[in-house]
Amino acid sequence: MNKEYLDLAIDYAKQAFDCNEVPIGAVIVKDNKVIGYGYNQKEKKQSVVEHAEIIAIRMAEQTLNNWRLNDCDIYVSLDPCPMCASAIKQARIKNVYSAVSNLDENNLKIITNIFTKDHTNPEVEFKTNLSVDKSKELLNKFFEKQRNN
């Protein structure tokens, strides 16, 4: 785990915040090089699938010219949702490093189950709560701003 990449994911989350999107950012790394990144753009693109992780996966696939992101790591500012967890596993990303856990306990159970090895894909290693204060502060600030508007 490289804290610089986690900080970079949080920086992308700040870009989402500045665009009035839920502040979530993601960075994909292979061989100590960023090959994909993204931040939430659901409102801007009016699409439910424009999550930070999906955008980062698309960019990484283009960078490698391959949908198989073997030996890649993804750094996220918040635990992935089940849709993104499935995409991460299907892309064969090796490790997920998350700044903060989602408050929804069911989310954690579901994504932990998704990340388990199955007949097709290997297990995804998942670590969370690696930079709680920074990410939580940004999320709290965003939702407080939403309530006041």
Side-chain angles (χ1 to χ4, degrees):
M1 202 284 293
N2 185 321
K3 188 160 172 11
E4 289 178 28
Y5 296 130
L6 198 53
D7 288 342
L8 186 56
I10 293 169
D11 287 343
Y12 282 112
K14 289 175 186 171
Q15 287 187 35
F17 179 92
D18 292 342
C19 296
N20 208 31
E21 299 274 359
V22 177
I24 300 172
V27 175
I28 298 178
V29 177
K30 182 173 179 134
D31 299 328
N32 217 21
K33 181 181 174 197
V34 174
I35 61 167
Y37 58 86
Y39 57 88
N40 271 4
Q41 296 184 40
K42 286 171 59 174
E43 296 300 327
K44 177 183 177 184
K45 297 195 176 180
Q46 287 299 295
S47 174
V48 71
V49 297
E50 295 301 320
H51 288 207
E53 299 92 333
I54 301 296
I55 294 167
I57 287 170
R58 283 190 198 128
M59 183 184 289
E61 290 169 340
Q62 290 176 345
T63 300
L64 296 180
N65 196 29
N66 195 335
W67 65 267
R68 292 174 189 88
L69 303 180
N70 295 325
D71 299 318
C72 291
D73 299 329
I74 188 167
Y75 293 80
V76 293
S77 61
L78 178 68
D79 288 359
C81 70
M83 175 184 71
C84 291
S86 292
I88 288 166
K89 185 173 182 176
Q90 291 294 315
R92 300 185 178 154
I93 292 173
K94 188 174 186 174
N95 297 294
V96 176
Y97 300 107
S98 175
V100 66
S101 182
N102 187 313
L103 293 177
D104 182 353
E105 290 179 22
N106 285 328
N107 189 74
L108 183 59
K109 289 176 189 173
I110 293 166
I111 65 172
T112 301
N113 189 41
I114 289 168
F115 288 151
T116 302
K117 181 181 178 177
D118 60 31
H119 295 293
T120 308
N121 296 302
E123 179 177 15
V124 177
E125 291 294 322
F126 173 60
K127 297 193 181 349
T128 190
N129 290 324
L130 300 171
S131 187
V132 173
D133 292 340
K134 281 184 180 181
S135 190
K136 201 173 197 180
E137 179 183 338
L138 187 59
L139 287 160
N140 288 340
K141 189 175 169 184
F142 174 81
F143 288 112
E144 182 179 309
K145 184 174 96 173
Q146 295 300 308
R147 283 190 296 274
N148 292 330
N149 284 341

